[in-house]
């Protein structure tokens, strides 16, 4: 599933091809995505892309008036076609530019989204209540500490809540809690300010490392052979149940927390 680093990498991959370019045609082959694709997406036709951004796992493609939102869902990907290529089964959306380049959206499971926004994009209902970006300066230990007081929710669920902080998915939550030595089930309200400092550092570290790794895949966005892959990462605990902890040698455990598989070392994480 595309996580924040893949979405950031997608943004960096498509941005140079779209910015300041004018849309010729928006083709929707199958509007049945997570939400039906609105007919308004055709308002993009004739307009130039003036800015591309990411907010959480949403891609914001701003036009002269209004803009388009993509979400990659469970299995979506975007790529740039520099010459026409006939669509395949799950190629649901094409945005053709006047210069002949095409942005193609592929999504086998159709949990992704393609939406239109009139006016300010950040005021869209999907975006306006989101928490801070994990790599932004306002995401601090003090912020997490204040927001977590009197909260009994497990810390793993707390940091995966998009109203608290966006884009910390299941893999990155497990990895950063291990790095910070915090047990994933510990109540968010019972973690000290000092330990939150370690957690904020770990979240930033694990996400920026993944984004740096994604940088090596940027050329894949113009690869006509297929969709850009999601980059493999070196993981410390995620998907390593039963394997030796890299820190203490004990076994990594798996447990379902908040309906998601969680991986941790019971000896190193308290
Ligand atoms: Zn350990």
């Amino acid at each position: 599933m595309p996580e924040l680093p893949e979405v950031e990498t997608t943004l960096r991959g498509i941005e140079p091809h779209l910015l300041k370019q004018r849309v010729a045609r928006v083709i929707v082959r199958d509007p049945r995505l997570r939400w039906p694709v609105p007919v308004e997406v055709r308002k993009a036709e004739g307009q130039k892309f003036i800015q591309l951004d990411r907010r959480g796992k949403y891609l914001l493609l701003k036009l002269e008036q209004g803009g388009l939102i993509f979400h990659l869902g469970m299995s979506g990907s975007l790529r740039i076609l520099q010459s026409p290529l006939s669509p395949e089964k799950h190629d649901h959306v094409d945005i053709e530019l006047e210069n002949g380049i095409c942005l193609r959206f592929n999504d086998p499971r159709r949990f992704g989204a393609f939406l239109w926004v009139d006016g300010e994009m950040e005021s869209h209902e999907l975006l306006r209540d989101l928490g801070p970006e994990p790599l932004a300066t306002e995401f601090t230990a003090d912020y997490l500490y204040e927001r977590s007081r009197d909260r009994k929710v497990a810390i793993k669920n707390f940091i995966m809540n998009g109203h608290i902080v966006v884009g910390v998915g299941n893999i990155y939550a497990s990895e950063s809690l291990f790095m910070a030595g915090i047990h994933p089930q510990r109540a968010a309200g019972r973690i000290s300010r000092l330990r939150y400092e370690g957690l904020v550092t770990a979240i930033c570290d694990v996400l920026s490392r993944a984004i740096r790794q994604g940088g090596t895949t940027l050329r894949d966005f113009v690869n006509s052979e297929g969709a850009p892959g999601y980059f493999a990462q070196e993981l410390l605990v995620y998907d390593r149940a039963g394997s030796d902890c890299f820190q203490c040698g004990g076994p990594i455990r798996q447990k379902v927390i908040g309906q998601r598989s969680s991986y941790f070392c019971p000896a190193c994480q308290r």
Side-chain angles (χ1 to χ4, degrees), residues 178 245-252 265-269:
F178 174 77
C245 170
F246 291 127
Q247 205 158 264
C248 72
I252 298 295
C265 172
C268 295
Q269 294 176 252

Side-chain angles (χ1 to χ4, degrees), residues 254-268:
Q254 178 188 1
K255 193 165 195 176
V256 175
I257 301 172
Q259 289 148 6
R260 305 298 300 274
S261 257
S262 304
Y263 300 84
F264 61 100
C265 172
C268 295

